[in-house]
């Protein structure tokens, strides 16, 4: 039971919006589309829903070709970034609306709505109007409406993006068990790697209209197959360094020579790009690290991200807890060479963390 | 941009509108075109006349051509005068109206009142208003020593028609501008106060640019209405004195019904129609360009 | 040097406020110092916007006085207060170029032309607007427009304060951190008092020297980002700052020991006997699953954040979030948890109690 995208292409005029995407989205797992704004996630969802027709390629739902079938004739539910509810209906009627359209018997409507409301903790709010709800409650109502329909395909397009971070944090934890109960093919688009990791399931990294990698979420996080997937799956941005391996040493673009330690040891000679995340580096060291100056420190609630200018670019270093480094202060960054990803010049993974 | 799901049954729903449009505009227009290309010798006795009605009409040396050119010039002059008064006045009044509180509703209703009066009633009202003996307007002007006489003086007649139109239709400009002003977020005014902008600078740099779109619509509507003005001059001045207030529409009726010169009248109304269409097209182009510039 | 003093400022939309609930902003005494960056942080409806509007002059407070230096400005209109403000949505003058937009506040104050040009160039360079200076402002992207708004707020060097009202709302998430760091750099370069309203903890903590955490009309703590993380004065601060928020457990406290159900937890300080609702609070960052000695908990779920793992556990039925250390070997449903004693804090009726060093 699955939705299969087979070599899907979408052109708009001369522009290729979606470039030959093949994906298999299975029922019973969370399918995450991870990519930055405008990468093509929403467009892919519109194609899956049948709102747009692909320029080439086929769309198979449970082995049936559904390529040309418009959205009205399919069983699709969608949740958007904006909170979309009927302002003149109560929460109960909002959730019930797709069932009313389908002319289900009243008792069935009642029981399905109650069940969805219980899952999303909306029971005390059923008689309220959307205007009387917080953003989180409004979005939970929209999600309940999508689930209650028992559609074959449920598309969630950055549903938490417009919520305050505390609400986002809470809903992120509440959603996975709720989705686990659904029998639909679930597709969830997000820009945030953390959200993808918490949702688990399978992830497709989307970059400039292409799917750069597809597989189990934590596997992609831990071994991205190309630099595009690694960049998409890194927040703060991936730290990068261009090097040349020559014998037992690697030479950086700035002319620094380092022993080829860790994963670099077994590489054949040539040019490479190293990629490593903020938690693969430490601030400070024994003098063998990369010298730089602090450009800014970003403080989230429990972590500090120190941006250090190392000459060849800016690297981000994670420091646990809240500490402020003064901009302009000298800093040394030590890179754990066992934890870097090595990409070739074309951007494909050569070797990963040991 | 992208393919929408298509369904040919949709045409069924459009069919009634197409039939309606056929009978309400296409058939009448074609009848007029038909008349404009023929001459008649009495009732229902038509023969082909080619484009000679049009050639006469557009040649100022012929009698009908001179008459048409005069009426056209008069109409254009009237439209421009009315617009030149109504648009600035409408904006000015809209700026003075209260933006919040209980007085908003009352002021808007009072402002809108003249628009609710039918044209011929307006004409009749002003016919009395303009009388020197008992009319408020006429008597007042005469009282302060101005040589005012709506039936004898062409300037008086002109001024009266313009004043009527201003009184009747400035409210439209006021309401449109007011809506446009209300749509400007408070933050803009607050920012301007913080930036130390003068009232005039606020008007020039915030209000006027934000009103641009609304004003194009107001000008378009007012242009079309003033260009087709008929009832007021017919009732108040009868197109006179002489032909001082004989605008295109009045002349058209005089030729078509007064002289039963159907061919000339048909040609005239077609030219008239094309002028209005062209003007609308120009406004439409301007409007979409403003939109596009705003989107970039 | 100007400083802004709030002398018992409070605001209520009710004529005769009786209880705390009647106040949109409860009475507040505070001094904002020249050259400092402050953030007002809290959820929607916490009173932060009311406070900002009082400073900008949009709202006249129902109680208290507002002083700019020695001048009482409580009732002065905005334009006489000598402040600059940046709004949630970009406010630009459509008819002007970028340079004219930036120059507008200076031109209105009749500054000499040469000085205006120099200052506009300086601010434009800081915000990387220099290449666009001669372009019409209306054609630019939302990000660029908001940079112009920021620039107009910063262009005057003589203002008492620059106020920011959630200025990054319309900015694309990918560009937010860039503007955030730019603002911080600008603050260091210019000796201005800045007040920044936001509901986003990262924006507040990154930008500000001091953060005012607000909830239900009350400023519950004013402190540095470190203080808010290490020693939240109020349970709300513990909850609101940090992802996820602090763990709270109802407890009985005796000396330097806390008793939670049948468990004993060591504290970093000694406390007098406490009555009423007593809780201990400890951040997930200082609550760690351990292979060594610790309290026995039931593991409900482990969330993998990539760079860290957090366990949702229960201690005698009470929910807790704990850090899973990289080398942790345990599995199954039972585990032991350890608390970092100096970071276990004590709260009485939601307010932190200061202990005596043992």
């Amino acid at each position: 039971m699955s939705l299969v995208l087979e070599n899907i292409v979408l052109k708009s005029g001369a522009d290729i919006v979606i470039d030959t995407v093949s994906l298999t989205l299975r029922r019973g797992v969370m399918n995450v589309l991870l990519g930055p704004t405008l990468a093509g996630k929403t467009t892919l969802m519109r194609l899956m829903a049948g709102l747009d027709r692909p320029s080439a390629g086929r769309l198979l739902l449970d082995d049936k070709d559904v390529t040309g079938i418009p959205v009205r004739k399919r069983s699709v539910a969608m949740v958007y970034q904006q909170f979309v509810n009927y302002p003149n209906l109560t929460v109960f009627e909002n959730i019930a609306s797709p069932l009313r359209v389908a002319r289900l018997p009243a008792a069935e409507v009642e029981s399905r709505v109650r069940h969805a409301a219980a899952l999303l903790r909306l029971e005390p709010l059923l008689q309220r109007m959307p205007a009387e709800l917080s953003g989180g409650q409004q979005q939970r109502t929209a999600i309940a409406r999508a689930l209650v329909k028992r559609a074959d395909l449920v598309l969630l397009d950055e549903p938490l993006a417009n919520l305050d971070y505390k609400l986002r944090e809470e809903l992120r934890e509440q959603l996975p068990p709720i989705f686990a109960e659904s029998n639909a093919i679930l597709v969830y688009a997000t820009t945030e790697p953390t959200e993808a990791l918490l949702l688990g399931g399978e992830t497709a990294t989307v970059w400039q209209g292409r799917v750069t990698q597809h597989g189990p979420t934590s596997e992609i996080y831990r071994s991205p197959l190309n630099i595009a997937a690694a960049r998409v799956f890194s927040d703060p941005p991936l730290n990068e360094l261009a090097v040349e391996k020559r014998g037992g040493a690697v030479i950086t673009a700035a002319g620094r020579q380092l022993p080829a330690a860790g994963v670099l040891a077994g590489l054949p000679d040539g040019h490479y790009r190293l990629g490593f995340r903020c938690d693969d580096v430490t601030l400070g060291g024994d003098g063998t690290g990369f010298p730089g100056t602090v450009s800014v420190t970003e403080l989230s609630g429990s972590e500090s991200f120190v941006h250090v200018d190392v000459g060849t670019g800016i690297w981000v270093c994670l420091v646990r807890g809240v500490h402020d480094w003064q901009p302009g202060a000298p800093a040394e960054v030590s890179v754990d060479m066992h934890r870097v990803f090595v990409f070739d010049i074309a951007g494909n993974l050569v070797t990963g963390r040991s | 941009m992208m393919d929408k799901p298509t369904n040919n049954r949709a045409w069924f729903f459009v069919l009634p509108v197409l039939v309606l449009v056929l009978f309400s505009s296409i058939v009448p227009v074609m009848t007029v075109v038909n008349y404009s290309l023929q001459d008649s010798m009495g009732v229902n006795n038509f023969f082909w006349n080619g484009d000679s009605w049009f050639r006469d009409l557009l040649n100022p040396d012929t009698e009908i051509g001179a008459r048409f050119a005069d009426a056209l010039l008069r109409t254009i002059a009237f439209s421009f005068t009315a617009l030149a008064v109504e648009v600035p006045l409408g904006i000015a009044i809209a700026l003075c109206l209260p933006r919040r509180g209980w007085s908003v509703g009352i002021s808007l209703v009072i402002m809108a009142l003249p628009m609710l009066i039918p044209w011929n009633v307006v004409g009749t009202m002003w016919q009395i208003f303009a009388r020197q003996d008992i009319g408020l307007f006429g008597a007042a002007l005469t009282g302060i020593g101005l040589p005012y006489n709506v039936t004898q003086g062409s300037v008086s007649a002109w001024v009266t028609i313009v004043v009527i139109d201003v009184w009747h239709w400035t409210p439209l400009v006021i309401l449109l501008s007011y809506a446009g002003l209300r749509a400007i977020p408070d933050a803009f005014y607050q920012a301007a106060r913080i930036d130390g902008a003068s009232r005039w600078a606020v008007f020039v740099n915030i209000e006027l640019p934000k009103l641009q779109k609304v004003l194009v619509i107001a000008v378009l509507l007012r242009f079309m209405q003033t260009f087709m003005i008929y009832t007021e001059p017919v009732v108040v001045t009868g197109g006179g004195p002489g032909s001082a207030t004989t605008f295109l529409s009045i002349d058209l009726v005089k030729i078509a019904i007064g002289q039963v010169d159907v061919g000339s009248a048909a040609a005239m109304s077609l030219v008239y129609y094309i002028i209005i269409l062209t003007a609308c097209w120009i406004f439409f182009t301007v409007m979409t360009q403003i939109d596009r510039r705003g989107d970039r | 040097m100007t400083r802004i003093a709030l002398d018992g400022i409070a605001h209520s939309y009710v004529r005769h406020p009786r209880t705390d609930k009647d106040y949109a902003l409860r009475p507040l005494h505070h001094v904002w110092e020249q050259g400092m960056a402050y953030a007002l942080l809290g959820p929607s409806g916490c009173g932060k916007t009311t406070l900002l509007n009082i400073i900008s002059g949009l709202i006249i407070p129902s109680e208290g006085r507002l002083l700019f230096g020695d001048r009482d400005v409580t009732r002065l209109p905005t334009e006489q207060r000598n402040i600059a403000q940046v709004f949630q949505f970009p406010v630009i003058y459509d008819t002007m170029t970028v340079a004219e937009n930036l120059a507008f506040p200076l031109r209105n104050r009749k500054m000499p032309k040469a000085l205006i040009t120099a200052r506009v160039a300086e601010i434009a360079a800081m915000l990387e607007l220099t290449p666009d200076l001669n372009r019409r402002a209306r054609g630019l992207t939302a990000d660029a427009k908001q940079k112009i708004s920021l620039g107009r707020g910063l262009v005057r060097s003589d203002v008492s304060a620059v106020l920011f009202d959630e200025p990054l709302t319309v900015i694309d998430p990918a560009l937010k951190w860039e503007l955030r760091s730019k603002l911080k750099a600008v603050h260091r370069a210019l000796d201005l008092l800045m007040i920044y309203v936001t509901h986003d903890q990262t924006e507040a903590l990154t930008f500000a020297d001091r953060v005012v955490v607000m909830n239900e009309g009350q400023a519950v703590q004013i402190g540095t980002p470190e203080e808010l993380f290490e020693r939240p004065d109020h349970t709300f601060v513990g909850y609101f700052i940090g992802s996820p928020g602090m763990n709270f457990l109802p407890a009985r406290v005796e000396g330097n020991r806390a008793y939670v159900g049948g468990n004993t937890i060591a504290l970093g300080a000694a406390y007098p006997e406490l009555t009423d609702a007593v809780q201990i609070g400890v951040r997930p960052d200082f609550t760690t699953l351990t292979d060594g000695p610790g309290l026995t908990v039931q593991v409900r779920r482990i969330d993998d954040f990539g760079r860290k793992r957090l366990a949702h556990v229960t201690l005698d039925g009470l929910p807790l979030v704990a850090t899973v250390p990289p080398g942790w070997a345990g599995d199954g449903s039972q585990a032991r948890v350890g608390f970092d004693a100096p970071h276990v804090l004590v709260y009485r009726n939601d307010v932190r109690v200061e202990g005596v060093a043992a």
Side-chain angles (χ1 to χ4, degrees):
Chain A
M1 300 294 255
S2 59
L3 178 72
V4 178
L5 281 71
E6 221 177 66
N7 299 317
I8 292 280
V9 176
L10 182 70
K11 289 183 191 159
S12 166
D15 298 335
I16 295 171
V17 184
I18 295 295
D19 190 358
T20 336
V21 167
S22 296
L23 264 183
T24 301
L25 306 168
R26 287 188 294 127
R27 217 179 278 265
V29 289
M30 178 53 88
N31 298 284
V32 182
L33 299 179
L34 176 67
T37 320
L38 298 179
K41 303 185 300 296
T42 304
T43 315
L44 272 175
M45 287 193 149
R46 289 179 59 89
L47 288 164
M48 291 174 194
L51 284 164
D52 296 328
R53 202 187 172 126
S55 316
R58 291 200 307 160
L59 206 62
L60 305 168
L61 181 66
D62 297 340
D63 300 326
K64 253 194 355 257
D65 190 335
V66 293
T67 316
I69 299 177
V71 66
R72 276 178 300 111
K73 294 190 182 157
R74 298 204 203 167
S75 171
V76 178
M78 203 153 174
V79 178
Y80 304 87
Q81 188 176 338
Q82 293 82 18
F83 317 137
V84 182
N85 288 305
Y86 299 105
N88 56 335
L89 298 181
T90 61
V91 170
F92 185 98
E93 285 304 323
N94 259 291
I95 301 174
S97 58
L99 307 179
R100 302 265 190 236
V101 172
R103 294 179 192 281
L104 256 61
E108 172 80 11
V109 172
E110 178 83 19
S111 80
R112 279 213 214 172
V113 171
R114 295 271 168 212
H115 181 69
L119 272 180
L120 286 150
R121 300 194 211 165
L122 287 166
E123 283 157 313
L125 308 170
L126 282 174
Q127 293 317 313
R128 298 245 194 115
M129 301 305 265
E132 299 165 323
L133 302 178
S134 72
Q137 292 164 342
Q138 286 190 44
Q139 195 62 320
R140 294 210 306 260
T141 306
I143 294 171
R145 189 175 54 229
L147 291 177
V148 84
K149 199 175 163 187
R150 298 194 186 156
D152 287 335
L153 181 62
V154 178
L155 303 168
L156 301 117
D157 192 0
E158 299 188 44
L160 306 185
N162 278 7
L163 296 173
D164 290 359
Y165 73 93
K166 270 290 152 187
L167 279 169
R168 197 156 56 213
E169 218 174 275
E170 286 165 16
L171 268 181
R172 261 182 201 161
E173 287 182 7
Q174 291 166 12
L175 288 181
I178 292 166
F179 291 141
E181 227 199 61
S182 158
N183 191 36
I185 299 171
L186 292 161
V187 186
Y188 189 113
T190 180
T191 58
E192 295 187 43
T194 314
E195 206 158 285
L197 282 166
L198 286 183
L199 290 165
E202 297 190 342
T203 290
T205 51
V206 186
W207 173 249
Q208 293 188 338
R210 290 165 179 270
V211 168
T212 53
Q213 192 174 353
H214 181 218
T217 304
S218 63
E219 197 180 303
I220 297 189
Y221 179 80
R222 277 169 237 288
S223 44
L225 286 180
N226 46 63
I227 202 161
R231 283 180 186 150
V232 165
F233 223 137
S234 300
D235 178 41
L238 188 72
N239 300 323
E240 295 179 34
L241 179 67
V243 296
E244 188 193 349
K245 170 130 198 274
R246 216 183 285 156
V250 288
I251 300 144
T252 70
R256 245 177 83 98
Q257 202 159 342
L258 307 163
V263 295
L264 304 177
L267 288 176
D269 284 4
H271 289 271
Y272 298 99
R273 273 194 285 184
L274 309 183
F276 40 96
R277 298 205 176 94
C278 63
D279 54 326
D280 300 328
V281 294
T282 42
L283 208 53
D286 51 8
T288 59
F290 292 82
T293 49
V294 174
S295 67
V296 71
T297 309
E298 272 196 290
L299 306 172
S300 86
S302 357
E303 294 168 321
S304 309
F305 300 101
V306 187
H307 297 243
V308 180
D309 189 343
V310 289
T312 52
I314 289 183
W315 289 352
V316 187
C317 311
L318 168 71
V319 178
R320 311 225 180 252
V322 173
H323 313 278
D324 205 354
W325 265 264
Q326 280 314 302
E332 183 189 343
V333 184
S334 302
V335 182
D336 182 349
M337 288 299 172
H338 290 279
R339 293 174 63 84
V340 299
F341 301 114
V342 183
F343 301 99
D344 61 19
I345 293 305
N348 295 313
L349 188 73
V350 177
T351 173
R353 303 172 172 192
S354 48
Chain B
M1 181 181 84
M2 287 170 194
D3 289 339
K4 293 274 177 284
T6 49
N7 189 336
N8 286 328
R9 259 185 311 175
W11 288 107
F12 277 115
F13 297 98
V14 189
L15 208 62
V17 179
L18 288 179
V19 172
L20 206 70
V21 170
L22 188 73
F23 282 96
S24 69
S25 24
I26 298 174
V27 170
V29 169
M30 289 323 291
T31 316
V32 176
V33 171
N34 194 20
Y35 285 153
S36 73
L37 300 172
Q38 302 186 52
D39 201 354
S40 63
M41 306 287 269
V43 182
N44 283 336
N45 183 6
F46 291 95
F47 57 89
W48 180 251
N49 196 27
D51 60 354
S52 70
W53 290 127
F54 290 95
R55 263 188 283 129
D56 286 354
L57 192 69
L58 298 175
N59 181 0
D61 296 333
T62 63
E63 192 227 327
I64 185 83
R67 199 168 151 181
F68 177 72
D70 284 351
L72 180 61
L73 211 64
R74 234 175 267 133
T75 310
I76 292 174
F78 174 74
S79 280
F80 274 85
T81 316
L83 282 173
V85 178
E86 286 169 22
V87 172
L89 185 66
I91 297 172
I93 295 175
L95 285 171
C96 298
L97 288 180
R99 301 276 167 92
R100 49 179 71 84
W102 57 270
S103 49
V104 171
I106 296 175
S107 353
L108 288 183
V109 169
I110 292 174
M111 285 299 143
L113 273 181
M115 280 200 298
L116 305 177
I117 305 170
W119 281 262
N120 57 341
V121 177
V122 169
T124 317
M125 275 170 62
W126 276 85
Q127 204 184 17
I128 299 166
F129 253 23
R131 281 175 61 165
Q132 282 152 277
D133 45 359
I134 55 167
L136 205 59
F137 186 70
L141 287 182
T142 315
I144 58 170
L146 290 171
Y148 178 83
N149 189 331
V150 76
T151 49
Q152 306 292 317
S154 32
V155 175
S156 300
W158 248 82
V159 166
T160 309
I161 302 296
V162 170
V163 167
I164 292 173
D165 197 72
V166 167
W167 173 81
H168 198 181
W169 289 112
T170 305
L172 182 75
V173 183
I174 298 175
L175 292 188
L176 283 171
S177 310
Y178 185 76
L181 288 171
R182 281 281 293 265
I184 302 174
D186 270 345
F188 279 83
Y189 292 104
Q190 224 179 315
R193 277 167 71 190
I194 288 167
D195 288 342
S198 63
R199 184 69 192 85
W200 175 248
V202 170
F203 176 67
V204 172
N205 294 307
I206 296 174
E207 290 169 330
L208 209 51
K210 300 269 175 221
L211 281 181
Q212 217 171 16
K213 258 199 229 176
V214 181
L215 286 182
V216 173
I217 295 169
V219 169
L220 173 64
L221 288 176
R222 286 312 303 134
F223 171 78
M224 277 166 47
Q225 284 178 331
T226 51
F227 203 72
M228 296 187 286
I229 189 163
Y230 178 75
T231 317
E232 293 94 328
V234 164
V235 177
V236 179
T237 64
S243 57
T245 55
T246 303
F247 300 111
L248 264 184
S249 56
I250 299 176
D251 214 18
L252 192 61
V253 173
K254 276 186 184 166
I255 294 168
I257 296 165
Q259 301 166 213
V260 206
D261 197 347
V262 181
S264 282
M268 199 165 160
S269 48
L270 277 179
V271 174
Y272 195 6
Y273 183 60
I274 287 164
I275 293 174
I276 291 179
L277 268 186
T278 313
C280 290
W281 178 75
I282 291 170
F283 278 116
F284 183 77
T285 314
V286 171
M287 213 149 59
T288 43
Q289 263 183 358
I290 291 175
D291 267 3
R292 219 175 301 145
R293 256 189 298 160
D295 284 347
R296 244 192 329 173
Chain C
M1 290 293 254
T2 40
R3 55 199 327 236
I4 294 181
L6 309 176
D7 181 11
I9 288 283
H11 191 68
S12 171
Y13 296 101
V14 186
R15 192 161 299 212
H16 299 289
R18 287 203 195 93
T19 64
D20 282 348
K21 287 234 177 298
D22 290 340
Y23 282 97
L25 179 68
R26 295 196 224 164
L28 179 61
H29 292 271
H30 188 62
V31 177
W32 316 91
E33 299 287 354
Q34 163 94 23
M36 294 277 278
Y38 297 88
L40 305 178
L41 173 67
S44 49
C46 71
K48 57 188 193 292
T49 306
T50 306
L51 179 52
L52 192 80
N53 285 340
I54 287 172
I55 298 168
S56 73
L58 217 59
I59 291 179
I60 295 174
S62 51
E63 291 169 31
R65 292 189 315 149
L66 180 67
L67 302 167
F68 281 21
D70 297 325
R71 201 158 68 108
D72 185 339
V73 299
T74 318
R75 277 159 200 291
L76 285 186
T78 306
E79 53 270 35
Q80 291 177 33
R81 289 192 181 201
N82 202 25
I83 49 152
Q85 187 165 357
V86 180
F87 299 86
Q88 208 167 351
F89 299 98
V91 173
I92 55 149
Y93 301 108
D94 284 342
T95 47
M96 303 183 192
T97 63
V98 174
E100 286 166 343
N101 259 284
L102 294 179
F104 193 60
L106 304 178
R107 223 173 258 168
N108 288 325
R109 289 178 175 78
K110 311 262 181 294
M111 248 173 87
K113 264 224 166 85
L115 274 179
I116 294 180
T117 320
R119 183 72 179 172
V120 166
E122 183 191 352
I123 295 292
M126 269 182 203
L127 294 168
E128 288 166 21
L129 283 170
T130 313
D132 292 330
L133 273 179
N134 291 316
R135 286 185 59 182
R136 279 278 206 112
R138 80 184 294 174
L140 300 173
T141 61
D143 303 332
K145 283 182 181 175
Q146 190 64 332
K147 278 208 251 175
I148 300 172
S149 303
L150 288 170
R152 268 211 334 276
L154 298 167
V155 77
R156 290 173 57 206
S157 53
D158 60 339
V159 286
S160 306
V162 186
L163 313 180
F164 299 90
D165 187 3
E166 310 206 16
L168 301 186
T169 309
V170 294
I171 305 298
D172 187 68
L175 295 172
K176 265 186 188 170
W177 88 261
E178 187 197 323
L179 263 183
R180 242 179 351 233
S181 24
K182 199 139 284 163
L183 267 179
K184 199 166 183 178
V186 165
H187 175 245
R188 265 190 315 276
L190 308 170
D191 181 32
L192 291 171
L193 163 57
M194 297 189 179
I195 303 172
Y196 190 110
V197 164
T198 179
H199 60 254
D200 183 281
Q201 58 170 348
T202 308
E203 271 177 46
L205 299 176
T206 301
F207 172 77
D209 304 315
R210 295 277 185 286
V211 179
V212 182
V213 183
M214 300 192 64
N215 187 36
E216 292 177 346
Q218 193 188 3
V220 285
Q221 185 170 1
I222 301 174
T224 63
E226 272 110 323
E227 284 166 1
L228 299 180
F229 178 73
E230 301 270 340
R231 310 202 91 65
D233 280 345
H234 193 278
T235 52
F236 178 78
V237 180
Y239 154 79
F240 201 70
I241 303 281
S243 309
M246 209 171 198
N247 294 310
F248 291 103
L249 300 167
R252 190 164 53 82
V253 170
E254 262 173 41
N256 57 1
R257 289 275 177 277
Y259 301 95
V260 177
N263 303 291
T264 308
I265 295 168
L267 302 173
Y271 293 84
E273 203 183 306
L274 299 170
T275 53
D276 299 336
V278 178
Q279 284 172 296
I280 58 166
V282 54
R283 292 202 174 273
D285 315 71
F286 305 115
T287 310
T288 318
L289 294 191
T290 168
D291 297 325
L295 304 176
T296 304
V297 292
Q298 309 295 316
V299 179
R300 285 192 299 128
R301 195 175 83 230
I302 291 181
D303 283 341
D304 187 354
F305 287 78
R307 57 175 170 264
K308 67 178 175 192
R309 284 188 298 161
L310 290 176
H312 291 258
V313 302
T314 50
L315 173 68
D316 280 351
L318 300 166
L320 267 184
V321 180
T323 303
V324 184
W328 186 66
D331 53 356
S333 64
Q334 278 213 345
R336 282 191 303 281
V337 69
F339 298 97
D340 181 18
H343 285 104
V344 182
L345 308 174
V346 175
Y347 294 84
R348 179 173 164 266
N349 295 336
D350 290 328
V351 178
R352 187 166 65 85
V353 182
E354 198 68 59
V356 184

